[in-house]
Amino acid sequence: MKRKQWAILAGLLTAAPLAFSQGVGVVGIDVWQQLLDSNGGDDKNDLAYGVAFDSQGNVVIAGNVDAPQTGTPYNDNALVLKYDPDGNELWRQEYDSGDVEGTNCNIQKCDSRERFYALRVDPDDRVVLAGKWDGSWAASPQYISAFWIMSLSPDGQTINWDYKLEGSSSSAWNAAYALDVDDAGNVFSTGDAFHFWTADPPPAQGEHDWVMYLYDSSGTRAGGFPQYYSYSTDYQYGDMAFGAAIDSAGNLIATGRIGISQNNLDWHVRKYDATGSTLLWSDTLDGNGLYDWAGKVTTDASNDVYVAGALNTGTDNGDNHHYQWVVIKYAAGGDGSGGAVRLWTRTYDGLTSGADAVPNDLVWDPVTDTLIVVGRVTDETTGLMHARLERLDADTGALLREQLITGTTESMAVGVHIQEDRIAFTGGLKNATDWDMATFVMRVPSVAITPNGSLVTTEAGGSATFDVVLEDEPTGDVTIQISSSNLQEGQVSPSTLVFTPGTWNTPQTVTITGVEDNNDDGDQAYSIQFTISSSDPIYDTRTIQDLPVTNQDNDPLFADVPLGYWAYTWIQALADSGITSGCDASNYCPGDDVRRDAMAVFLERGIHGSDYMPPAATGTVFADVPASHWAAAWIEGLNADGITAGCGGGNYCPSGTVNRDQMAVFLLRSEHGSGYSPPPATGTMFADVPQDHWAAAWIEQLATEGITSGCDASNYCPDDPVRRDAMAVFLTRAFNLLNK
């Protein structure tokens, strides 16, 4: 086996002309996309067939990439690649059977077109792959293409086991199209085996037969396998298996087509016991006497069976064909007499009348008990092919969501997998000249919670708010119950929100209000919790992470600032922010005038944060502030920030008091920067601040910003000294400390 590591371009589809349009809601919200283009070989077409999550949330894809040809017009290499949960490539492996030998296919190897058609990740994160491997009819064992199945280590570096199975003798063309892995790591794979040019009548092996293999996790083949199923006697309308599933009882389900006549292939499903030798039930479906097939298959927790495929409801298999998208649910036990029981059938006729619609894969979602089906549809108006996704109610088959990937380019979805609230699908995206391998990861729509600022409440009744809105239109009303984890710390209003299909995208606001507990218990953490109920299974199963909230304690921090003091809330907030610790060990001294040295500390901490420490003082900035002064570093820092140049004559006057007019200038410069200039004064805002007052513009701007309303109903009292309680109000409002 050769592994080739020639360059492949991979990157986010940031420039791809794609749009996620919606029919009924959306199946998923785009998280990331990856495009892989080999840019080599003949047709340059690259395509991914399979995708799966591992237990770590990594995404594994498999398919084929075009490679430079060597003596043949075709050369494809099988590729398997793993992305991390964010879409970054972790590793890749590429496999090539080698150069062709010539064009005489009776004795020479004519093609080198290796492909992985399916993959699963087993319980130990090993990657199991199925596909086809080209060989030589002249070599031993003889095959032109082999049924290929292999297992890789989680890091992709070790082949655990690898089988290229040519079937029985004289088996020329073979391929593995599907596989499934159960919880014990057993591997069931199905596909096609060509046996004889002159076929025996069924049930003997014919020219194209269904073939089934079963292995344990170590790669040991189960006894009695391979098992074959033959219906057709002519290679021109041979039998092929396209789907494989193992239910929780170990029973095996295979799906595909059977040949009725040269122009008629029928949908066919077969369920066997765990040995593969006893048929439990089967079902055949004929759309219009033309080409039909049952594609991929999956099961649910009750072992009911879901199959996706297509029926040709047109008038011929040529230009007048019309492939209809079909999904059927079968009862696990059949009818008890070897027949199937169809519980429901879901059909989709395409974007327009006569347009093709073909599902390629499906997966059952255990969280919502729904199905996600992916495939391709054709727009008859533009002639473009588009990837289509739908989510169905598993009980009824009703359509819950559908989504198209549209744009100026073509796309198709071939494989799909789901892990909790993430959906991965893969397939192809067409660029200007060829198809590229494309991978999409989406998340299931949920409820969006947006806090309006910090989620902090206070025991004084301070509140916080957040907005709630749905990310996608629901099929029915969605009710969200909201509660506080601790009613002694915070309460919510309203406690119930209802979103309807008509109001789902209108945000609703919830208010959290802090509660006084009369305990000196410090700040307390609590959370807001959510419970969702809805007739829509997508929303009914969603969970919303708790919102963490902090209720700030308002029990007195200072002995001389009791509850009820007019500036209590402001002083508490100033202390909680770390800007002050009071005037001594237990007091704040609210009635004291603010000195200029203390003011420097207040302002510098407000500007730079409570943890700020200014550079060491030099003692050379102001004549009356030596380096040994307790606030020298803060005073020099205030000067360096351009907030003050001192009180005149080269001095700062550290023990002087701060008047209310001076405070207006200090605060606004601290808030807006040293270069700030307020709008011109009007002289009409305060009776005692005329337009020509030296600080009139600063005082009026302070009032405009809501930092002050004056000293009484009509005055500002500009010449009055600022008291420490008033200073708490000024600082808390200027630096918005109540909301931090």
Side-chain angles (χ1 to χ4, degrees), residues 54 83 114 153 278 333 393 544 638 688 704:
D54 69 12
Y83 297 109
E114 287 66 57
S153 60
T278 301
D393 187 311
I544 304 175
L638 198 68
D688 57 353
T704 298

Side-chain angles (χ1 to χ4, degrees), residues 180-244:
D180 196 16
V181 178
D182 68 11
D183 291 341
N186 297 307
V187 179
F188 176 53
S189 184
T190 66
D192 169 40
F194 183 93
H195 284 98
F196 308 104
W197 284 106
T198 303
D200 296 328
Q205 295 170 1
E207 294 173 346
H208 276 289
D209 296 333
W210 291 27
V211 62
M212 298 169 283
Y213 287 90
L214 183 65
Y215 297 88
D216 66 16
S217 61
S218 67
T220 301
R221 187 191 299 179
F225 287 88
Q227 291 284 343
Y228 297 94
Y229 170 65
S230 178
Y231 186 90
S232 170
T233 60
D234 192 316
Y235 76 93
Q236 297 180 82
Y237 49 93
D239 310 314
M240 291 186 179
F242 301 130

Side-chain angles (χ1 to χ4, degrees), residues 120-279:
R120 289 288 188 270
V121 174
D122 76 6
D124 295 318
D125 280 347
R126 293 179 291 245
V127 179
V128 187
L129 300 132
K132 80 176 186 73
W133 180 269
D134 280 346
S136 172
W137 189 245
S140 179
Q142 292 178 309
Y143 57 81
I144 295 174
S145 62
F147 185 113
W148 181 25
I149 187 166
M150 68 183 299
S151 170
L152 289 178
S153 60
D155 63 3
Q157 302 308 302
T158 302
I159 297 176
N160 302 314
W161 46 269
D162 178 18
Y163 300 119
K164 299 172 181 69
L165 307 157
E166 76 283 2
S168 62
S169 60
S170 302
S171 184
W173 293 281
N174 310 268
Y177 292 117
L179 65 83
D180 196 16
V181 178
D182 68 11
D183 291 341
N186 297 307
V187 179
F188 176 53
S189 184
T190 66
D192 169 40
F194 183 93
H195 284 98
F196 308 104
W197 284 106
T198 303
D200 296 328
Q205 295 170 1
E207 294 173 346
H208 276 289
D209 296 333
W210 291 27
V211 62
M212 298 169 283
Y213 287 90
L214 183 65
Y215 297 88
D216 66 16
S217 61
S218 67
T220 301
R221 187 191 299 179
F225 287 88
Q227 291 284 343
Y228 297 94
Y229 170 65
S230 178
Y231 186 90
S232 170
T233 60
D234 192 316
Y235 76 93
Q236 297 180 82
Y237 49 93
D239 310 314
M240 291 186 179
F242 301 130
I246 311 176
D247 70 16
S248 64
N251 298 311
L252 310 174
I253 303 101
T255 59
R257 75 182 196 196
I258 56 174
I260 307 302
S261 67
Q262 188 164 348
N263 292 311
N264 186 8
L265 304 172
D266 281 355
W267 164 303
H268 194 60
V269 180
R270 301 177 71 80
K271 181 172 182 178
Y272 295 89
D273 69 2
T275 69
S277 59
T278 301
L279 180 66

Side-chain angles (χ1 to χ4, degrees), residues 272-286:
Y272 295 89
D273 69 2
T275 69
S277 59
T278 301
L279 180 66
L280 302 178
W281 55 259
S282 65
D283 186 49
T284 302
L285 186 60
D286 184 0

